[in-house]
Amino acid sequence: MKIQVHENQTRSFFVICFFLLIETSQQRPQNTTCPFRYIYSFGDGVTDIGNSVRVLPFGPFLPAARSPYGQTFPGQPTGRWSDGRIDIDFVAAGLGLPNIVPYLSMRGSTSNDGVVFSVARSTVLDRLFLKLRGVDIPPYAIPLSGQLRLFKAYISSVCSIPQDCANIVGDSIIILGHIEANDIGYSLQQGKSIQQVETYVPFMIRTLIEAATELIRMGAARVVLAGSVPIGCYPYILTTLQTNNATAYDDLGCLKSVNDLIVSKNKLLQEAVTNLTTKFPNVDVYYADLYGAVQTIIQQSSVSGNMTLKACCGVGGQYNYDRRRFCGSRGVPVCANPNEYIYWDGLHFTQGAFARFTNIVVPPFLPVLGCTSN
Ligand SMILES: *[C@@H]1O[C@H](CO)[C@@H](O)[C@H](O)[C@H]1NC(C)=O
Ligand SMILES: *[C@@H]1O[C@H](CO)[C@@H](O)[C@H](O)[C@H]1NC(C)=O
Ligand SMILES: *[C@@H]1O[C@H](CO)[C@@H](O)[C@H](O)[C@H]1NC(C)=O
């Protein structure tokens, strides 16, 4: 896929203005110190802090480039698919490296604390793999192989001697994952059965492990592979696969068959991560469990009963979700207090949900990574 800068776009002026605002606003200083200097992230909307809205020609017209996205933080759209901060913002702050930037905003500038290559709505599997199976992905998505190409372009822009490049890659934590929730979500949304999607899973795991291996060969010393969240609880999945069969739902109101698929996929990934550790004993490879953390915050939701799985920003049906009247479209309402909701637009979490689940996942990792707080 070709990535262009949006010099020629009519709306680019406004887009650039609000991005400048964001990137110059520093987050609150952290007193955590970790034994690495940079964060590099690959993934989807859970970790995209502003790339998808910069992929031309469609990016600047995506919902995430419009109000009410960003209404909680920083008060205007940033390209994050949420009302405010997202997973990677909280992870970066937790690691004491809050000043991360979206790669497509850099235009040759250097990063402070790290670079995000994640692009919302992207997949692990390539466009062609899915196309051959009758599954389409959005034109602005950049599958994992494309994100890796961006990373290589970035690295070769900051160093030229191979050993220097390996040192820069090695002085980082690489966060890779969650992305395959989209491969599974698109396939289910476009009519594939659970059994059909199960056959794609080994390809997803292999692609993720190959990506991690490539990064390790480039010098990576710490790689975190994150499993998927329970996508059977997402309003868009619940809406698309809605059924009268009461036994299809678990006690949280989520679709069992979808979550079972995620659980078995996550298990396979975890096993593959263990195998990778054996293959590269000098590299720290970790599996991060987002599934359990999200399940916990759904259980603890302060929003009563059947509101828990509704989108805050959206309208229609049992879950406040209608793909033709998406959050950010004219006349689509926003809930009064997004912080009380888990889901923002039916496909993504609210800042409040991100804050709560990263607060479960990140703290136990800090001592493991050798990070100290003072
Ligand atoms: C209802 O859902 C359960 C659980 O997914 C499944 O085992 C069962 O076959 C379904 N029944 C019908 C009639 O579709
Ligand atoms: C992990 O390694 C074992 C032993 O080589 C192998 O049987 C298994 O398939 C591997 N699992 C994954 C997910 O790669
Ligand atoms: C939510 O629950 C309330 C009370 O049990 C009920 O009146 C209402 O119809 C439910 N709403 C939906 C959308 O299921």
Side-chain angles (χ1 to χ4, degrees):
M1 160 168 301
K2 213 158 60 193
I3 315 295
Q4 308 161 335
V5 287
H6 50 244
E7 236 97 49
N8 305 323
Q9 296 284 313
T10 45
R11 295 186 46 176
S12 65
F13 175 73
F14 301 100
V15 175
I16 290 166
C17 282
F18 65 67
F19 289 135
L20 284 177
L21 258 167
I22 305 319
E23 279 145 25
T24 51
S25 69
Q26 301 272 314
Q27 293 184 15
R28 121 188 93 89
Q30 294 291 315
N31 51 11
T32 301
T33 310
C34 295
F36 44 86
R37 182 69 196 81
Y38 305 107
I39 297 173
Y40 301 119
S41 157
F42 303 88
D44 71 350
V46 165
T47 48
D48 177 4
I49 57 172
N51 285 319
S52 71
V53 296
R54 289 181 166 91
V55 178
L56 291 191
F58 301 101
F61 304 98
L62 291 175
R66 288 195 294 272
S67 173
Y69 286 82
Q71 69 164 37
T72 307
F73 169 85
Q76 67 262 80
T78 63
R80 289 169 177 82
W81 292 71
S82 180
D83 59 313
R85 294 182 178 89
I86 60 170
D87 173 297
I88 194 71
D89 294 306
F90 292 109
V91 171
L95 296 174
L97 297 168
N99 298 308
I100 49 175
V101 293
Y103 175 68
L104 296 182
S105 77
M106 292 181 72
R107 300 160 169 240
S109 65
T110 54
S111 76
N112 296 318
D113 293 343
V115 185
V116 171
F117 299 90
S118 309
V119 180
R121 317 291 311 280
S122 296
T123 50
V124 164
L125 298 168
D126 280 332
R127 197 175 287 280
L128 182 61
F129 179 100
L130 292 164
K131 181 101 198 151
L132 288 173
R133 286 154 184 84
V135 179
D136 287 320
I137 69 173
Y140 55 87
I142 302 184
L144 185 56
S145 60
Q147 294 181 20
L148 279 176
R149 277 195 295 276
L150 299 182
F151 178 70
K152 287 178 197 159
Y154 167 72
I155 290 298
S156 59
S157 77
V158 295
C159 55
S160 46
I161 302 165
Q163 191 53 51
D164 291 350
C165 298
N167 289 343
I168 289 172
V169 178
D171 198 9
S172 74
I173 185 165
I174 290 177
I175 298 171
L176 168 67
H178 180 264
I179 183 165
E180 66 277 17
N182 286 330
D183 303 67
I184 296 172
Y186 293 136
S187 301
L188 294 173
Q189 203 179 21
Q190 294 175 35
K192 299 294 159 196
S193 67
I194 297 280
Q195 290 72 25
Q196 281 170 311
V197 180
E198 270 171 354
T199 67
Y200 313 162
V201 167
F203 296 96
M204 293 174 198
I205 305 295
R206 189 191 305 166
T207 307
L208 284 164
I209 295 302
E210 279 171 3
T213 304
E214 197 169 350
L215 291 162
I216 291 169
R217 298 233 151 92
M218 288 177 74
R222 290 165 211 86
V223 182
V224 179
L225 283 135
S228 310
V229 302
I231 71 165
C233 307
Y234 271 123
Y236 89 99
I237 291 288
L238 288 165
T239 301
T240 312
L241 304 182
Q242 195 157 5
T243 166
N244 292 328
N245 178 357
T247 60
Y249 297 92
D250 66 15
D251 52 6
L252 296 175
C254 307
L255 280 165
K256 277 194 278 204
S257 58
V258 178
N259 283 351
D260 287 350
L261 171 65
I262 297 292
V263 167
S264 66
K265 187 275 299 171
N266 282 348
K267 249 188 212 139
L268 211 55
L269 178 60
Q270 201 170 355
E271 189 186 306
V273 167
T274 306
N275 286 1
L276 204 57
T277 314
T278 314
K279 192 167 170 195
F280 297 102
N282 299 326
V283 177
D284 294 326
V285 189
Y286 306 100
Y287 173 79
D289 175 32
L290 304 189
Y291 188 103
V294 169
Q295 205 170 37
T296 301
I297 67 159
I298 293 174
Q299 275 156 353
Q300 296 169 345
S301 170
S302 59
V303 182
S304 60
N306 60 13
M307 298 297 289
T308 305
L309 302 177
K310 280 179 191 286
C312 159
C313 179
V315 65
Q318 202 178 324
Y319 304 101
N320 272 356
Y321 178 78
D322 179 344
R323 60 187 302 193
R324 286 152 310 193
R325 288 183 291 165
F326 200 82
C327 179
S329 304
R330 193 186 304 270
V332 172
V334 188
C335 68
N337 192 354
N339 196 42
E340 289 181 353
Y341 281 71
I342 306 274
Y343 296 100
W344 167 243
D345 59 8
L347 280 69
H348 302 97
F349 296 102
T350 59
Q351 171 176 290
F354 279 125
R356 289 193 289 277
F357 83 69
T358 51
N359 197 37
I360 297 172
V361 176
V362 177
F365 259 105
L366 297 178
V368 177
L369 292 168
C371 304
T372 52
S373 298
N374 41 48

